[in-house]
Amino acid sequence: MDPVIVKETLIKILSQIQTDSGLECPPLSGAIKPVENIPKFDSKVWPVATTILATEIKAEIPNDVNIFVDETTKLARTIDETAAFICDLLKKQSEQKAAAA
């Protein structure tokens, strides 16, 4: 999976969610942290964005994974960091499936 494609898709989804919710959306770039910089982007919206993203990129992202916050540091991820995290996650899933086969 290409991080650039994931990033572009994620930006499109985040923008659409804000529009559909009637909320402001700041100009989105790879440096933006959705959790901190997008109005009302909270734990109720994260799973929706994650599910739409998984559908769009035709990938499986587990429901218990918060792609927008680093589990270890508890720090919000930027859009670029989120895209890289998703690519790493999908690569690990692929390797696990290959090892199990």
Side-chain angles (χ1 to χ4, degrees):
M1 182 66 52
D2 182 352
V4 174
I5 292 171
V6 175
K7 172 185 166 181
E8 290 171 355
T9 306
L10 183 57
I11 286 174
K12 181 182 80 173
I13 290 166
L14 295 173
S15 193
Q16 189 62 50
I17 286 172
Q18 291 304 102
T19 300
D20 291 349
S21 302
L23 297 169
E24 278 187 53
C25 187
L28 299 178
S29 69
I32 292 286
K33 293 182 178 182
V35 173
E36 295 175 359
N37 304 122
I38 298 179
K40 302 200 181 201
F41 191 79
D42 58 21
S43 59
K44 293 177 185 165
V45 181
W46 300 338
V48 174
T50 303
T51 301
I52 295 169
L53 179 64
T55 302
E56 289 278 324
I57 63 172
K58 296 176 178 53
E60 190 176 316
I61 301 172
N63 290 333
D64 62 343
V65 175
N66 182 349
I67 64 173
F68 299 102
V69 176
D70 186 304
E71 220 175 89
T72 310
T73 64
K74 303 298 182 214
L75 296 173
R77 289 188 174 107
T78 64
I79 290 174
D80 281 340
E81 290 168 341
T82 301
F85 172 77
I86 290 167
C87 290
D88 288 344
L89 177 72
L90 298 178
K91 183 179 175 195
K92 286 177 189 164
Q93 285 177 350
S94 177
E95 289 169 356
Q96 287 172 347
K97 285 180 184 172

